[in-house]
Amino acid sequence: MRWTELVVFVLLFGAVTVLGFVAAKWKAGGTLDHLDEWGLGGRKFGSWVTWFLIGGDVYTAYTFVAVPALMFSAGAAGYFALPYTVIVYPLVFMPLLRIWSVSRARGYVTPADFVRGRYGSSVLALLIALTGIVATMPYIALQLVGLEAVLRTLGLNGSGIVGHLPLLIAFVILAGYTYQSGLRAPALIAFVKDILVYLVIIVAVVYLPIKLGGWSTIFGAADAKFRATPAPGDGLLLNANNQLQYATLALGSALALFLYPHSLTGVLASRGRNVIKRNMSALPAYSFMLGMLALLGFVAIAAKTTPLVNQATGNPDTNTIIPNLFAQQFPAWFAGIAFAAIGIGALVPAAIMSIAAANLWTRNVYKEYLRKRATPAEEARQAKLASLVVKFGAVAFVLFIDPQFSIDLQLIGTVMILQTLPAVAIALYTRWFHIWGLVAGWVVGMGWGMVMLYNIPSPDGKRAHFGTSALKLGELSLFGWHPFAGSPAQIYVGFLALVANLLVAVVVTVIARRLRVFNGLDETTVADYHVDEGAKELRPVAAH
Amino acid sequence: MTRPAPPSIRWTNWNLLLLIPLFMLVTPIFNRSGPALFGIPFFYWFQLAGVASGVLATSIVYVKTRTAPTATPPGPEPDVDTLDEGAVR
């Protein structure tokens, strides 16, 4: 047991808990019994709050442990996280403004709300909502994996159910203040989280290289490690086979990021279009930090850090590399701060994700199918309960199922959420696609994506299915035809599935239009996509 | 390709700047180890420096579209928007 670290961790965790409960009164509106308030914090966050909120939401604890862990084991291929988080903001700059405006004008809380309004189709909206919920659940579970990596490094590495107890306690607390304060809780806590994270990473990337003999020594050690392993895919540079994978994975992940309901929640909670525009320029500060953090994977190689063996599963857990590096290299009190940064870093996204999933459930399943006349207060009550269910579902995932399963599911989740791009992002610009074209494209993209992922073994050959999201082009099969037979180059599965999705959507749209099939009613107007804060005719927030 | 933009999309050519950061997907540009900077291989420091391209692209588009009437909802006086946009922090 590492007592100093544990005490620092518990103190910071306690401070954040108080903040979480107090947050209910922060910038409070007239009532918390409305999804605009509970689920979107009153739609009035300014530039700073939004920066901390989206930053805290997108750059999760899992990112902080998993990206360096990937660099540690694979090298350059793990660095895709940097181009991914650089290109994402210019790419989503314009679409985000449109979805913010139309959501503000029409009172939409979720992406599925928008699809419902744009196409008047509850079937299509249900598909989008379910995709969002299913893709978000394992992501919440992954935050727990990140949190648990820290708790186990702290010495709370028991076996069986007792080993999971600290995690359970942390999550009960989280569930409590999310239930009470809604989105305001993670928004306020994000300040603490991000300041701690910046502090820890800046210290780490300055102090550790000096201590270990400079960056050239560190890269030298990493190079030596990768040369010594038999695996062909690792190394300090990309090779001929994984460059296409690197680029398509970065692009696919960038396109997927703001289709995730929790990312969009942070955007919709902002006050106006200029808040979003400023953040598109300010959020890359986190990307730069992530790029530096990733290099800590190599620092861990140079420092000869080894992963901890998870007592619950009996396997070495590479996700413990970064916590272990901190424990080994930092004085105890600072390691405690670092652990708290990662631990609190898990709470913020977990809270926002559970709120986003609860919003989807409430707006697009409960109100749409179960209780059409639900009042705003009933919606808020339902969403609060749903957020509890979602969180404990995620805990159950970690308790009763191998954490590897959450990682597999998250791999699947990004491929899944990418399939909502035509119905959500393209629909912001044009209604050319037909409802049934979008549904057919979704079915094909989803189905084919899952089949491809299922058939990919892990690079080390230990697992036969869901090994990675990189498909060898030579194994690409179109009804038995192999267009790139023999090619060892790899490509991101989600990208292929999205291309198939779009092709099918176009073909079915053309047919449906020929046959003059009814294409739903659009309740949005051209002006809706351009409204901004301060407009006189805007609907009031948290009124019906 | 300079047809008048349809009314539902308000286009300015400044928006094309947003495509520039996509160069970061062209791996042959930076998939090399030299020249190193502070002992960091080219592959890594080049991509770290690439963060600036994203910041520049979005900042320029923000500044250039700020004065344009991005929002013309029916009703409000134009000075309401100007006031809000002036409140830069």
Side-chain angles (χ1 to χ4, degrees), chain B residues 40-60:
Chain B
I40 301 177
F42 187 74
F43 179 83
Y44 300 92
W45 71 256
F46 178 84
Q47 294 186 75
L48 278 171
V51 174
S53 72
V55 176
L56 278 176
T58 49
S59 304
I60 295 173

Side-chain angles (χ1 to χ4, degrees), chain A residues 140 144 171 174-175 178 350-351 354 386-396:
Chain A
I140 303 175
L144 300 187
F171 238 55
L174 172 72
T178 313
S354 66
S387 82
L388 294 182
V389 174
V390 166
K391 273 201 213 68
F392 289 102
V395 174

Side-chain angles (χ1 to χ4, degrees), chain A residues 297-523:
Chain A
F298 293 159
V299 173
I301 295 177
K304 301 191 172 55
T305 309
T306 47
L308 201 71
V309 173
N310 183 329
Q311 293 295 337
T313 61
N315 296 321
D317 179 0
T318 43
N319 284 328
T320 56
I321 276 292
I322 285 302
N324 247 1
L325 174 73
F326 289 166
Q328 174 194 331
Q329 298 290 334
F330 284 137
W333 64 273
F334 194 76
I337 293 182
F339 292 160
I342 300 177
I344 298 168
L347 301 182
V348 171
I352 304 172
M353 286 166 192
S354 66
I355 289 170
N359 287 347
L360 281 170
W361 162 262
T362 307
R363 298 282 296 196
N364 309 108
V365 182
Y366 172 75
K367 189 171 163 76
E368 187 73 45
Y369 292 97
L370 303 178
R371 197 177 165 87
K372 285 186 192 286
R373 292 174 184 219
T375 63
E378 281 171 324
E379 280 183 38
R381 198 175 316 128
Q382 179 69 204
K384 286 174 163 186
L385 291 174
S387 82
L388 294 182
V389 174
V390 166
K391 273 201 213 68
F392 289 102
V395 174
F397 250 94
V398 175
L399 291 194
F400 303 114
I401 303 171
D402 183 350
Q404 184 58 46
F405 192 59
S406 315
I407 298 172
D408 291 350
L409 277 177
Q410 205 262 338
L411 195 75
I412 301 170
T414 305
V415 175
M416 287 171 82
I417 206 75
L418 203 47
Q419 306 314 316
T420 64
L421 182 127
V424 178
I426 297 181
L428 283 170
Y429 288 92
T430 173
R431 231 175 147 275
W432 180 80
F433 278 114
H434 194 280
I435 295 173
W436 296 112
L438 293 169
V439 171
W442 181 91
V443 169
V444 169
M446 202 67 109
W448 195 41
M450 293 310 107
V451 169
M452 282 189 287
L453 286 175
Y454 180 79
N455 287 325
I456 301 178
S458 63
D460 58 10
K462 281 185 191 152
R463 290 177 305 122
H465 305 297
F466 299 115
T468 93
S469 59
L471 179 79
K472 289 199 182 71
L473 273 180
E475 282 161 23
L476 174 63
S477 164
L478 300 169
F479 305 106
W481 174 52
H482 295 267
F484 304 99
S487 167
Q490 297 170 323
I491 190 167
Y492 175 49
V493 165
F495 186 77
L496 289 176
L498 180 61
V499 171
N501 178 339
L502 286 168
L503 283 178
V504 170
V506 167
V507 170
V508 176
T509 296
V510 170
I511 296 171
R513 288 184 168 265
R514 269 296 149 71
L515 299 176
R516 297 183 184 284
V517 181
F518 178 60
N519 195 19
L521 290 174
D522 183 4
E523 69 169 26

